[in-house]
Amino acid sequence: MTLIHHPHHADINDDMWSQIDAVIQKNRTISGAVITVLRECQDIAGYLPVELLDYISQGLNLPASSVYGVASFYSLFSMVPKGRHTIKMCLGTACYVKGIKEALSRIENEYQLKEGGTTDDRRFSLEAVRCLGACGLAPVMVVDQDTHGDVSSDKVLELLEAYL
């Protein structure tokens, strides 16, 4: 089902629009489904560009301000492109003391990537987090769902090369 004319967006192809239409159709009569729709649409497109947020608001017959408000409030949602792989570097005390800052610097220098940023090729997004709950493995980094312990500045780039 097509709700309205699909807006042009370089990151969203026709197959993605079809999936997005299905998500909206499935949830359009469910009160309070905006978070579910945003999450599922972000999973399809990789992030929530303005054009997609507008499309969702029209499809759910909600004011654009309501949809933007939800998308901008929750840290789960991103309105900027993210990398195929998300790197989370733990900056908690145990990791910091054991040298995670040096590993973080190595990533920043190798990939010209800053905390909170994404590489130009959208391979990696980098996040610094307060704690990953794996202090016994310090220093720790998580890439997507994979936890890597004892991450040194010498080892970190080798670990990341496995993620294409």
Side-chain angles (χ1 to χ4, degrees):
M1 173 194 151
T2 302
L3 300 172
I4 58 171
H5 181 272
H6 295 139
H8 173 73
H9 197 281
D11 293 334
I12 305 175
N13 61 36
D14 289 338
D15 181 53
M16 292 169 153
W17 282 119
S18 295
Q19 293 175 55
I20 290 164
D21 285 339
V23 168
I24 293 171
Q25 177 61 27
K26 177 178 71 176
N27 292 284
R28 76 180 316 162
T29 60
I30 300 171
S31 179
V34 68
I35 292 175
T36 299
V37 172
L38 288 171
R39 184 183 49 77
E40 290 183 25
C41 289
Q42 180 171 272
D43 288 346
I44 294 164
Y47 70 110
L48 298 169
V50 171
E51 296 85 352
L52 180 53
L53 291 172
D54 287 340
Y55 189 78
I56 291 168
S57 71
Q58 290 175 25
L60 295 178
N61 198 29
L62 293 171
S65 60
S66 296
V67 175
Y68 288 114
V70 172
S72 62
F73 179 78
Y74 291 102
S75 62
L76 163 71
F77 301 120
S78 175
M79 292 185 278
V80 295
K82 293 289 184 180
R84 293 184 306 279
H85 305 287
T86 300
I87 305 166
K88 294 182 181 178
M89 303 292 288
C90 180
L91 296 182
T93 304
C95 291
Y96 199 88
V97 167
K98 291 192 172 189
I100 198 69
K101 194 68 171 166
E102 290 78 11
L104 178 61
S105 294
R106 192 84 184 265
I107 292 170
E108 290 175 337
N109 292 334
E110 178 69 20
Y111 295 104
Q112 289 76 52
L113 181 59
K114 295 289 180 197
E115 290 177 37
T118 299
T119 56
D120 290 340
D121 64 359
R122 292 195 193 163
R123 181 176 173 196
F124 294 117
S125 289
L126 180 62
E127 298 176 13
V129 297
R130 286 285 128 220
C131 184
L132 290 169
C135 301
L137 301 174
V140 177
M141 141 179 112
V142 172
V143 182
D144 300 332
Q145 302 301 316
D146 305 327
T147 302
H148 301 278
D150 195 27
V151 176
S152 66
S153 61
D154 293 333
K155 186 167 125 179
V156 70
L157 298 180
E158 181 182 324
L159 287 169
L160 291 176
E161 285 309 308
Y163 297 90
L164 301 176

